[in-house]
Amino acid sequence: MGSLSQISQKHHAYLIRGDGEYVTNLLKNAIEKIFNVTFDGNPDCHIARFETFGFDEARKIKEDQEKHSFAGEYKFFLINTFTLTHEAQNALLKVFEEPTAGTYIFLIMPPSAQVLPTLKSRLFDLEVILSPQNDDKKLAKDFLSKNAPERLKFIKKIIENKDKTAATSLMNALEETLGTEIKANLPPEEIFILQEIRKGRGYLNDRSPSAKMILEHISLILPRIKY
């Protein structure tokens, strides 16, 4: 693990876990200082945001990083995503191992996101960076403190708006928050709750997910925790 100050020409691919938008802004500033470039308006500096980063997105990154630099000797790709499919991770193995000269790729994901060991071994793992507010975690704790009817009322707006991003953010925050809570407060057999959250988040990434069924299921099986 390391900090943003460790970004250098010695490494070409990085993993940073934390609050996506907050990390992206910090990363832009760090790159500008370390590499003496201007990020905004620079055709060699790319920011891509995804709910799910799949095979097609991986193929485009592969093609884009192979192109020659427009303005200088460096190209930067900031990939901010909630989830990275297994197909995409396998497709990126070669890119992260041997990118085009002068290319730097930064993978920004939630702390709870899953990265295959084969891909992770090709990345320089930087620190977990949470925003000062860390609103998602506050939201998760508020959700966990509610009883079942209150939770169902809470998710109603997400369901009505078909807000997949909000649903995924809630699931990520719940997994991160419960990662230690479950082990501390529940018997071993109920560890399955974390697995249900991970499965539910995976189902949300399907083409036509039933967010209503997924969120209602999670709302009803989660323990109530008072903070």
Side-chain angles (χ1 to χ4, degrees):
M1 298 287 284
S3 68
L4 292 184
S5 64
Q6 290 182 270
I7 295 172
S8 71
Q9 297 179 36
K10 295 180 181 179
H11 303 279
H12 50 261
Y14 296 82
L15 172 63
I16 308 173
R17 300 177 185 273
D19 298 337
E21 292 302 313
Y22 182 71
V23 170
T24 299
N25 289 329
L26 288 180
L27 192 51
K28 281 173 57 180
N29 292 333
I31 290 171
E32 288 182 336
K33 290 178 181 178
I34 293 168
F35 290 89
N36 193 29
V37 297
T38 300
F39 213 95
D40 292 334
N42 188 333
D44 293 324
C45 297
H46 308 269
I47 297 178
R49 297 177 175 86
F50 306 95
E51 291 179 9
T52 302
F53 188 93
F55 179 79
D56 289 340
E57 290 77 20
R59 183 174 57 185
K60 187 171 189 316
I61 291 291
K62 180 180 182 297
E63 293 171 351
D64 288 346
Q65 67 89 31
E66 290 174 347
K67 297 174 183 176
H68 290 294
S69 170
F70 284 96
E73 58 181 311
Y74 304 121
K75 295 195 301 293
F76 301 94
F77 293 87
L78 277 58
I79 303 170
N80 182 354
T81 183
F82 282 115
T83 20
L84 198 64
T85 67
H86 284 192
E87 294 79 9
Q89 294 190 50
N90 287 323
L92 289 171
L93 291 177
K94 188 69 173 176
V95 175
F96 281 146
E97 186 171 11
E98 296 180 8
T100 303
T103 297
Y104 296 86
I105 305 173
F106 300 85
L107 183 58
I108 306 163
M109 302 184 74
S112 58
Q114 302 298 305
V115 180
L116 295 174
T118 49
L119 180 61
K120 192 173 181 181
S121 67
R122 290 162 169 80
L123 300 168
F124 187 83
D125 197 356
L126 290 170
E127 62 190 3
V128 174
I129 304 175
L130 301 176
S131 70
Q133 315 299 315
N134 200 9
D135 292 335
D136 284 349
K137 195 164 184 178
K138 290 180 181 178
L139 186 68
K141 288 188 174 183
D142 180 56
F143 188 82
L144 288 166
S145 68
K146 297 179 183 296
N147 59 31
E150 291 171 335
R151 290 175 181 174
L152 295 176
K153 183 178 179 181
F154 177 89
I155 63 173
K156 185 178 179 181
K157 186 175 180 180
I158 296 176
I159 294 169
E160 289 176 347
N161 293 338
K162 298 180 179 179
D163 193 339
K164 187 176 175 183
T165 299
T168 305
S169 293
L170 177 60
M171 299 285 270
N172 284 334
L174 287 170
E175 182 181 11
E176 180 189 349
T177 303
L178 284 170
T180 54
E181 300 287 355
I182 284 182
K183 293 174 185 176
N185 299 327
L186 295 179
E189 63 269 18
E190 295 194 36
I191 298 297
F192 83 96
I193 291 174
L194 274 179
Q195 297 172 335
E196 290 297 291
I197 292 175
R198 289 169 184 159
K199 283 197 294 185
R201 185 179 56 225
Y203 294 146
L204 283 172
N205 295 323
D206 291 344
R207 289 187 178 275
S208 301
S210 174
K212 182 175 186 295
M213 290 181 63
I214 295 167
L215 292 177
E216 286 181 350
H217 172 62
I218 295 301
S219 297
L220 295 175
I221 67 169
L222 288 175
R224 188 178 186 186
I225 302 174
K226 288 291 188 179
Y227 292 92

